[in-house]
Amino acid sequence: MLDAKLLRAQPERAEAAFRNRNMETALEPFLALDEQRRRLLVQAEEIKSFRNSASQEVGRLKKAGEDAEALMEQVRAAGPRLKELEDELKNVEQEIDNIMYYLPNLPHDSVPVGPDDGANVEMRRWGVPRSFDFEPQAHWDIGPRLDILDFERAGKLSGARFTVYKGWGARLERAVVNFFLDQHTQNHGYKEIFPPFMVTGECMMGTGQLPKFADDMFKLEGKDMYLVPTAEVPLTNMHRGEILEGSGLPLYLTAYTACFRAEAGASGRDTRGVIRQHQFNKVEMVKITAAETSYDELEKLTADAEAVLQALKLPYRVVLLSTGDMGFSSAKTYDIEVWMPSYNDYKEISSCSNCEDFQARRANIRYRPDAKAKPRFVHTLNGSGVAVGRTVAAILENYQQADGSVMVPEALRPYMNGLERITV
């Protein structure tokens, strides 16, 4: 959620930022409601002040033996009027929230302006895509041939956009999860968390999935509970409503979860293989920081995600997203895209974002720089560390051999019981 003071003071700047995010938003309704809210607050405070001073005067009059009935009647009459104002104020604040919850974050000044991914800026590349001396196959062909991915039986169980992992495929998926968690906890300083895979609607509001993206989520029938779309949601909301000690920041958290997404707006995109699924595994990284350090922490977060791909020797590139391609809650995002021979292109495998205080305002997460300081909103950051299914797909395609087998990356062999090659 944005700072209402900023919208009030700089509406032209905010509206320009919204246009850069492909969102035409006129702030007049917000500004009118905000003015009404402040007027109601003043009126309510005036009545409360009158009641306090009048009550004291009533006490003085009675003590002096004077008639206080007229003043007491005024005090009694003030009660219903105050209730009316408070009810009106509650309704106005609800209307303001209904506007604010749908406004995206404002892009950082360093974000390139553009309508879509065509305006994204490539920052760097690592590794060189492999040149094959045979016709490389796609992972959706490699997996079934090796009997480690089964899309047909997954469809029988759950429908489209699901996968059954079998044998060494299941072991490879588990190996990648454990490898990523070990890298982030042992080498990058994160605390491992194993959160619930279901969260309340309040949690989804806190990180920005609700109310705007309700159609993309899986909701439990009859309950205010959702399957997590990413571990970002439970990790960030662990500290919802808390005031943290500044000396304890930054917090580095990492978690494995299954992730569940309806992919309501993804019809026809990446329909084959494991690139875009309703259920997939991911290791997530979340940072909770002070405002002053959050952009340094974004660079470190991105480097942490890059490090696991480097350890697996998978070529990738880092792209700075444009204003028109960023996520709703983000102020700045780097995408890491891994090389996929089947596409002859790079595909997203991690997205690393600084949300500044956008999520913290929604979830009311604050910190005190020191014991006597007024609480301030933290900055929250999140990044895939990285998407597990897409990593398995990248391994199958980049490590495939002419005889149809797939070499296991050296970094994963200790997690695969020493296995060097997956064969039929």
Side-chain angles (χ1 to χ4, degrees):
M1 182 178 291
L2 296 170
D3 184 354
K5 293 179 182 177
L6 186 151
L7 297 180
R8 187 186 307 136
Q10 303 179 51
E12 296 85 1
R13 175 198 165 197
E15 289 189 341
F18 296 145
R19 286 193 295 273
N20 289 338
R21 300 202 62 164
N22 300 326
M23 182 178 180
E24 290 293 335
T25 299
L27 288 177
E28 285 86 354
F30 162 79
L31 295 173
L33 286 166
D34 184 61
E35 177 60 31
Q36 185 180 356
R37 173 184 171 275
R38 285 185 288 159
R39 186 169 59 250
L40 290 170
L41 282 171
V42 169
Q43 292 175 20
E45 287 303 316
E46 288 175 347
I47 291 177
K48 290 177 183 178
S49 178
F50 165 74
R51 286 202 314 182
N52 289 337
S53 61
S55 295
Q56 293 177 5
E57 180 63 12
V58 166
R60 187 192 68 77
L61 290 172
K62 285 185 174 181
K63 188 175 182 180
E66 299 179 33
D67 183 10
E69 185 57 35
L71 190 55
M72 290 172 62
E73 182 58 32
Q74 293 181 48
V75 172
R76 285 192 290 269
R81 177 54 182 156
L82 180 61
K83 179 65 166 55
E84 289 177 8
L85 289 172
E86 289 175 339
D87 288 345
E88 189 176 354
L89 180 62
K90 183 177 180 180
N91 291 334
V92 168
E93 288 178 338
Q94 184 61 59
E95 290 186 61
I96 291 174
D97 285 346
N98 290 340
I99 294 174
M100 296 286 283
Y101 280 134
Y102 284 88
L103 297 179
N105 204 350
L106 302 184
H108 188 264
D109 289 342
S110 63
V111 172
V113 176
D116 51 34
D117 59 4
N120 294 347
V121 176
E122 183 176 309
M123 306 299 291
R124 55 187 172 274
R125 295 190 180 195
W126 186 93
V128 178
R130 177 182 168 191
S131 295
F132 292 89
D133 55 8
F134 60 92
E135 185 66 28
Q137 301 297 303
H139 70 275
W140 54 80
D141 293 321
I142 298 170
R145 190 181 67 246
L146 292 175
D147 197 30
I148 60 174
L149 300 180
D150 195 327
F151 303 109
E152 183 177 345
R153 287 189 173 90
K156 182 167 63 174
L157 295 174
S158 307
R161 295 187 186 271
F162 289 90
T163 304
V164 169
Y165 290 78
K166 300 162 64 177
W168 285 113
R171 181 66 177 264
L172 181 60
E173 181 93 353
R174 177 159 56 94
V176 171
V177 169
N178 290 334
F179 172 70
F180 286 167
L181 288 173
D182 285 350
Q183 290 294 303
H184 294 317
T185 56
Q186 296 172 17
N187 299 334
H188 303 151
Y190 292 79
K191 176 185 286 187
E192 183 176 349
I193 306 293
F194 191 55
F197 290 5
M198 294 184 290
V199 296
T200 65
E202 190 175 5
C203 289
M204 300 286 266
M205 292 283 288
T207 41
Q209 282 76 20
L210 292 180
K212 187 175 178 64
F213 303 104
D215 290 344
D216 290 331
M217 307 303 144
F218 285 111
K219 187 177 189 296
L220 275 66
E221 186 174 357
K223 295 182 180 293
D224 183 32
M225 296 287 289
Y226 294 80
L227 298 178
V228 296
T230 165
E232 167 199 342
V233 179
L235 289 181
T236 304
N237 279 280
M238 279 176 60
H239 295 286
R240 188 179 74 248
E242 295 182 14
I243 299 177
L244 307 173
E245 295 301 325
S247 59
L249 300 182
L251 297 179
Y252 286 21
L253 307 173
T254 188
Y256 153 75
T257 63
C259 303
F260 306 87
R261 299 183 187 177
E263 296 288 354
S267 178
R269 296 173 57 196
D270 300 320
T271 56
R272 304 190 69 182
V274 302
I275 297 300
R276 195 173 296 277
Q277 300 264 281
H278 290 309
Q279 175 186 319
F280 59 95
N281 295 314
K282 184 157 64 78
V283 170
E284 186 76 0
M285 304 174 293
V286 162
K287 292 186 176 186
I288 298 177
T289 78
E292 295 78 11
T293 61
S294 67
Y295 277 96
D296 289 337
E297 294 292 350
L298 176 61
E299 300 300 323
K300 294 177 185 176
L301 181 81
T302 308
D304 293 339
E306 291 181 68
V308 298
L309 295 179
Q310 292 174 11
L312 295 176
K313 298 186 167 83
L314 291 172
Y316 67 85
R317 68 176 184 175
V318 178
V319 176
L320 175 60
L321 299 193
S322 71
T323 54
D325 198 32
M326 289 196 313
F328 178 78
S329 297
S330 176
K332 183 175 182 176
T333 296
Y334 293 111
D335 269 7
I336 303 175
E337 301 175 347
V338 70
W339 178 256
M340 297 291 290
S342 62
Y343 292 88
N344 194 35
D345 200 0
Y346 293 93
K347 298 294 289 184
E348 179 197 337
I349 198 168
S350 174
S351 192
C352 299
S353 300
N354 187 353
C355 299
E356 297 186 355
D357 63 5
F358 186 82
Q359 292 178 328
R361 289 180 181 277
R362 297 171 75 107
N364 193 26
I365 308 172
R366 296 175 291 168
Y367 77 102
R368 282 192 176 90
D370 57 65
K372 296 182 180 180
K374 182 179 178 180
R376 305 176 187 175
F377 286 106
V378 300
H379 280 197
T380 63
L381 299 88
N382 63 78
S384 309
V386 295
V388 176
R390 294 189 180 197
T391 301
V392 169
I395 290 170
L396 295 181
E397 294 195 9
N398 284 281
Y399 279 85
Q400 62 182 298
Q401 305 300 306
D403 64 1
S405 65
V406 173
M407 298 298 295
V408 176
E410 289 185 18
L412 292 182
R413 292 175 188 175
Y415 299 85
M416 296 282 288
N417 201 29
L419 185 72
E420 296 184 3
R421 184 190 299 259
I422 301 174
T423 59
V424 177

